[in-house]
Amino acid sequence: MTTASSLLSAQGVSVSFNGARGRVDAVRDVSLDIQPGEVLAVIGESGSGKSTLARALLGMVPMRSGQLHLDGEHLAADTRRRTLAQKRRIGMIFQDSAAAFNPRFTIERILLEPFTLMTSGKDPHKAQRPAELLDKVRLSSDFLSRYPHELSGGQRQRVGIARALAGDPDLLICDEAVSALDVSVQAQILNLLSDLQEEGGLSLLFITHDLSVVEYLADRVAVMFRGELLETGSLSEVFDAPKTDYTHRLLQAVPRLDDFAGDLVGIAPEPLGRS
Ligand SMILES: Nc1ncnc2c1ncn2[C@@H]1O[C@H](COP(=O)(O)OP(=O)(O)O)[C@@H](O)[C@H]1O
Ligand SMILES: [Mg+2]
């Protein structure tokens, strides 16, 4: 589905890698659309091409073919050829966002960096921005003077989210953003992402192998298998009436929320594979 109102639209995206054992077609002719304010979950087992698709959307990996549009305007496949305004509109959170933090920088400095890059130092309120970002992710300004190793995993991921919010993006791409966290912490981070999405009208492209997370957060679901997009649909279309045998089996392979009366997200089903 391509509509004029799509925030991000990808058509016919293919990505291949040339490795020692020949060519790997990691993403094959994938088309998808993300609407303003919606949560699109991308599911599929390990190696199905989810992360590569995310990196292609971010312009971090060369596409063999395909077209991207942001708000109906052409979006260059290579991030270096995107405008600053375009780059600001898409934020990214990884499984371990903190791995990219300089361990010798305070949280304040880590959160100042994106502003230095984005506004070339012209923002008169730059000094306030780190505290504002911490507030958005429900951390007190006490954290400004701390170092990454002084934070818990959940706190570090909150700082990762804060940093991804620095450009005031319209879309956050979350690649296994809670997978490395304890189950109770996962729930807190998911609630935060859900609040940010509702309050700020953010769209989320949420990549996960954890179907309980999908059920909690997603409006629509896209299922990937061996680089291909097998099906997309609303949460209930895909979960209650999967169109393909693969999706049916994928859904049966892990416990569902229904199996855990009352407990919303405090569930860690066996991963389908490591991502
Ligand atoms: N940089 C790379 N070089 C070579 N092969 C890669 C690279 N990144 C991913 N792949 C391969 O592409 C396929 C899809 O990987 P990936 O996108 O990471 O899947 P997922 O995120 O769904 O686990 C896998 O076969 C993987 O081995
Ligand atoms: Mg992955």
Side-chain angles (χ1 to χ4, degrees):
M1 180 186 62
T2 302
T3 62
S5 66
S6 293
L7 174 62
L8 181 68
S9 163
Q11 289 116 29
V13 171
S14 297
V15 180
S16 302
F17 297 106
N18 287 308
R21 284 180 295 156
R23 195 173 96 174
V24 178
D25 294 321
V27 175
R28 306 167 192 235
D29 196 22
V30 168
S31 299
L32 57 80
D33 277 81
I34 302 162
Q35 308 304 323
E38 82 166 342
V39 182
L40 175 65
V42 178
I43 63 173
E45 62 197 289
S46 181
S48 57
K50 306 181 299 295
S51 295
T52 305
L53 175 63
R55 292 172 66 210
L57 299 178
L58 287 158
M60 289 160 57
V61 62
M63 301 192 315
R64 193 155 59 78
S65 61
Q67 291 285 327
L68 303 177
H69 289 88
L70 190 62
D71 266 341
E73 285 182 13
H74 172 73
L75 182 67
D78 184 339
T79 189
R80 287 167 299 189
R81 294 180 43 230
R82 296 182 181 179
T83 66
L84 191 56
Q86 287 175 329
K87 283 191 239 181
R88 290 182 60 152
R89 297 191 60 192
I90 308 178
M92 172 88 193
I93 315 169
F94 304 88
Q95 180 164 344
D96 185 11
S97 300
F101 297 166
N102 187 325
R104 288 188 296 271
F105 285 5
T106 60
I107 300 306
E108 180 172 27
R109 189 160 169 198
I110 286 166
L111 291 177
L112 269 177
E113 264 183 329
F115 292 100
T116 309
L117 297 172
M118 284 183 306
T119 58
S120 40
K122 272 179 256 155
D123 180 356
H125 305 290
K126 199 172 108 178
Q128 293 157 230
R129 299 298 181 210
E132 288 171 8
L133 287 176
L134 286 182
D135 190 54
K136 282 191 183 168
V137 297
R138 326 285 192 246
L139 287 178
S140 84
S141 52
D142 296 349
F143 284 89
L144 289 172
S145 57
R146 300 207 195 162
Y147 290 88
H149 72 268
E150 298 176 305
L151 273 54
S152 70
Q155 289 164 345
R156 276 203 301 268
Q157 194 60 317
R158 281 175 196 266
V159 176
I161 296 169
R163 201 156 105 135
L165 293 175
D168 197 17
D170 297 311
L171 171 65
L172 264 191
I173 297 182
C174 310
D175 190 356
E176 303 285 2
V178 297
S179 305
L181 302 171
D182 291 344
V183 169
S184 62
V185 182
Q186 281 192 6
Q188 293 166 17
I189 299 291
L190 289 173
N191 285 333
L192 171 66
L193 288 169
S194 173
D195 288 350
L196 290 169
Q197 186 256 333
E198 280 170 21
E199 291 161 16
L202 260 182
S203 302
L204 299 181
L205 181 71
F206 204 90
I207 296 172
T208 181
H209 60 254
D210 186 339
L211 299 183
S212 59
V213 169
V214 176
E215 227 166 359
Y216 177 68
L217 213 58
D219 300 312
R220 280 198 305 135
V221 180
V223 184
M224 287 193 71
F225 176 64
R226 293 186 182 162
E228 284 182 68
L229 195 64
L230 282 192
E231 61 180 293
T232 53
S234 69
L235 181 66
S236 61
E237 279 167 354
V238 173
F239 272 51
D240 299 334
K243 289 195 200 79
T244 61
D245 278 352
Y246 175 75
T247 305
H248 189 68
R249 279 185 279 124
L250 187 72
L251 296 175
Q252 291 202 319
V254 289
R256 294 284 302 279
L257 282 185
D258 303 349
D259 305 336
F260 297 81
D263 189 356
L264 247 193
V265 287
I267 303 164
E270 280 301 304
L272 292 162
R274 238 177 284 157
S275 297

